[in-house]
Amino acid sequence: MSDTVTPAEGAAPGLARDLSAFSLVCIGLGATIGAGIFVLTGTAAADYAGPALSLSFVLGSIACAFVGLCYAELAAMIPAAGSTYTYTRATLGELAAWIVGWDLVLEFAFAAATVAVGWSGYAQSLLADFGLALPPALAAAPGAGGLVNLPAGLIVLALTALLARGTAGAARANAALVLLKVAIILAFLGIGLAHLKPALWSPFVPENTGTFGQYGWSGVLRGAGVVFFAFIGFETVSTAAGETRDPKRDAPVGLLGSLALTTLLYVAVAIVLTGLVPYRDLGVADPIARAVDAIGLGGFAVVIKLGALLGLTTSALTALYGQARIFYAMARDGLLPAAFARVDPVRRTPALSQGVIGLGTALVAALVPIEVLGELVSIGTLLAFCLVCAAVPILRRREPDRPRPFRVPAAPLVAALGILACLALMAGLPGDTWIRLAVWLVLGLALYGGYGRAHARRLRALTPPGADPPAR
């Protein structure tokens, strides 16, 4: 019996369609309110932007606004599992789609690993409040003072097991955790506003050290590139669009609604955080907990750490969810082994794909330091966003009469601005991050040449007459 899986356009075959617009907004918030707000805010302020961190988030959100509009049109028009991979396959062809799909592995799997490392940091900080500590060898990755980050690996495996049990249950758990963590963040903002030290905002844009990206306006730009990690929720929301009850309505609401709420929370947290602690002291694994300690409310620090754990949990959950759907879509088209496209007949989830992603991500989380992971995720996300923006005008020219439940206003201009904004943020990232991206893409091209191209060609040859062929 053949191990191929016939591709189909539209909603993902076999996957349950249990999600609503509210579920998508919660998935977006779950993906975006995680390591970005609880971990990378401190690093970006301490090393790059200083008190102007809020401007870094504004720059990131402007880029995301253009990209989000493009995503909304494509997700409503092509509500299929695979997100950017599917859009690229429909516009730029198989090779470009493979490159994007491989890039999305970098984005989703490494995002989940980054978040898991942040989760480990807060969990260990919380344990320390109760006089407990892990052996150093089990508390951090090699290069970060240990041999293996055991908590980071374990949380990934636990979330993988939850996702394998079914999408609807995971979505309900995610929604509950999102509401709780947003309440904790709002509590932090309310208490922080009463203890602000405005003198800490001066100078708002610290003087550049003479090196590009170290404070000054170049630091604001680099900070935007680093914290862009915070906005990867778009990809997860669009990936989930094929499992909603009404994709044409739910996808735009989920995408744009989660962007608006996320931007407001990030800018507010950046302003309060840098108004409570000198920005140079924020380069720690738990910057918000450090800010609460500065207020002098030790008991509330425990609440904040619990909120961080919840936030990081939902962020990792949604990233793992998205990655399994990308593998599902690529396997459905023959670019990966067909086993990754098999859906559990009872739970209606791509269980094998989810399990392999979980094991691989757990290893990365346990063995790679957070600094390397965060920058890789940001550049991978920005590259994918560029291609999403390019897909909108291409499809407008190729299929002008295709129904578009949501249309980007002034599409050519919006798409061009989205591409330029993402390229500008990519340019602000360190050079070694570009090198790692190039190595990753070269490895992906080797896999495509050795496996994906031939198997995809074989699948097209086996497609029955009259069946929907794979996208061009």
Side-chain angles (χ1 to χ4, degrees):
M1 183 175 179
S2 174
D3 66 348
T4 56
V5 176
T6 302
E9 186 178 1
L15 296 180
R17 299 185 63 171
D18 297 324
L19 304 179
S20 63
F22 177 74
S23 298
L24 286 188
V25 171
C26 288
I27 286 173
L29 292 177
T32 52
I33 303 176
I37 202 166
F38 290 110
V39 179
L40 296 181
T41 47
T43 300
D47 297 340
Y48 307 121
L53 174 64
S54 56
L55 296 182
S56 295
F57 279 117
V58 170
L59 287 178
S61 67
I62 290 172
C64 275
F66 298 131
V67 178
L69 288 169
C70 294
Y71 258 118
E73 176 169 316
L74 294 172
M77 185 173 62
I78 313 173
S83 186
T84 311
Y85 162 79
T86 301
Y87 310 151
T88 305
R89 190 172 175 83
T91 54
L92 301 177
E94 182 180 280
L95 176 59
W98 168 267
I99 293 172
V100 170
W102 188 245
D103 174 63
L104 293 177
V105 177
L106 184 69
E107 178 182 339
F108 279 114
F110 279 50
T114 305
V115 172
V117 176
W119 187 95
S120 175
Y122 273 94
Q124 293 181 57
S125 177
L126 185 61
L127 289 174
D129 291 338
F130 296 95
L132 302 174
L134 288 175
L138 303 179
L147 294 178
V148 60
N149 194 328
L150 185 61
L154 291 178
I155 186 60
V156 170
L157 294 177
L159 294 176
T160 298
L162 175 62
L163 286 166
R165 290 175 60 85
T167 300
R172 287 191 294 269
N174 177 70
L177 294 175
V178 164
L179 293 175
L180 186 55
K181 74 177 176 181
V182 168
I184 292 174
I185 291 172
L186 292 176
F188 165 72
L189 293 174
I191 293 174
L193 286 172
H195 295 81
L196 290 176
K197 302 173 184 176
L200 295 177
W201 292 328
S202 182
F204 188 67
V205 180
E207 185 177 354
N208 183 262
T209 62
T211 301
F212 182 89
Q214 293 183 0
Y215 309 120
W217 289 105
S218 66
V220 173
L221 177 63
R222 175 160 292 180
V226 170
V227 300
F228 202 82
F229 175 96
F231 294 101
I232 65 170
F234 284 121
E235 200 71 61
T236 312
V237 172
S238 63
T239 298
E243 294 175 68
T244 59
R245 298 168 192 143
D246 185 358
K248 296 178 181 180
R249 180 200 65 192
D250 297 339
V253 172
L255 285 160
L256 301 179
S258 59
L259 169 63
L261 293 173
T262 297
T263 300
L264 288 174
L265 287 174
Y266 268 117
V267 171
V269 167
I271 291 172
V272 171
L273 192 63
T274 54
L276 294 174
V277 179
Y279 65 89
R280 293 184 186 273
D281 296 338
L282 288 172
V284 294
D286 52 353
I288 293 183
R290 175 67 61 89
V292 173
D293 289 339
I295 296 174
L297 299 176
F300 189 57
V302 174
V303 176
I304 287 296
K305 291 173 185 178
L306 287 172
L309 288 174
L310 295 176
L312 296 168
T313 298
T314 60
S315 189
L317 180 74
T318 51
L320 290 168
Y321 166 88
Q323 181 57 73
R325 270 59 185 176
I326 298 298
F327 264 37
Y328 170 88
M330 295 176 74
R332 183 193 59 199
D333 293 337
L335 294 173
L336 289 175
F340 288 113
R342 291 178 184 149
V343 175
D344 184 282
V346 177
R347 298 184 176 92
R348 298 180 67 187
T349 63
L352 178 62
S353 179
Q354 197 75 69
V356 171
I357 289 298
L359 289 173
T361 302
L363 287 173
V364 173
L367 299 174
V368 182
I370 194 169
E371 295 83 4
V372 174
L373 290 170
E375 291 174 356
L376 274 171
V377 172
S378 289
I379 198 167
T381 303
L382 288 162
L383 175 60
F385 283 6
C386 286
L387 293 168
V388 166
C389 291
V392 168
I394 291 174
L395 274 179
R396 289 278 186 98
R397 288 195 301 270
R398 287 185 178 174
E399 302 182 44
D401 298 326
R402 185 167 181 166
R404 288 171 169 80
F406 177 86
R407 296 180 65 91
V408 177
L413 177 61
V414 170
L417 290 174
I419 292 171
L420 290 174
C422 291
L423 289 176
L425 294 180
M426 291 174 73
L429 290 169
D432 56 355
T433 303
W434 282 86
I435 294 173
R436 293 187 186 108
L437 175 64
V439 170
W440 179 260
L441 293 178
V442 168
L443 176 61
L445 288 173
L447 290 174
Y448 173 73
Y451 178 90
R453 181 172 58 183
H455 284 76
R457 187 177 301 162
R458 175 178 171 232
L459 179 61
R460 287 195 296 272
L462 292 173
T463 302
D468 289 335
R472 198 183 65 78

